[in-house]
Amino acid sequence: MNSILQDKKECFFTHSTENLDKHHIYFGANRKVSDEHGFWVWLAHDRHIQDSVHDTPHNNRTVDLYLKEICQEAYEEKHSHESFMKLIGRNYLEVL
């Protein structure tokens, strides 16, 4: 499945096409759901892993919640809120 947030294989933040990692927006128990429904984005490696220079979804809760919120919004443009809640089990809209 393709990402619901990206059409191109490039870093979501920098648009770089080199050294990319696939970041699962809803990870842990929801990693498989993320793969099946396109709840992921491409990130440049230094924007994905713990990095002292960049805010990454793994070291900055605001970045993590931002991706979760916009992913939920994109999903709910085509599907219901109830459907999202069945998949993920938590509402991320307006949490920032």
Side-chain angles (χ1 to χ4, degrees), residues 10-67:
E10 64 184 18
C11 178
F12 184 78
F13 295 116
T14 68
H15 305 288
S16 170
T17 58
E18 296 183 21
N19 201 20
L20 300 175
D21 295 339
K22 184 179 182 180
H23 172 69
H24 293 83
I25 295 170
Y26 309 103
F27 41 88
N30 289 320
R31 184 180 179 98
K32 185 176 180 181
V33 172
S34 286
D35 271 331
E36 292 172 353
H37 294 276
F39 299 160
W40 56 270
V41 292
W42 292 110
L43 295 177
H45 185 69
D46 66 344
R47 298 292 176 134
H48 184 227
I49 61 165
Q50 303 267 342
D51 188 293
S52 61
V53 177
H54 300 108
D55 288 329
T56 74
H58 294 288
N59 73 1
N60 185 313
R61 185 72 173 146
T62 302
V63 175
D64 178 47
L65 290 174
Y66 168 73
L67 290 172

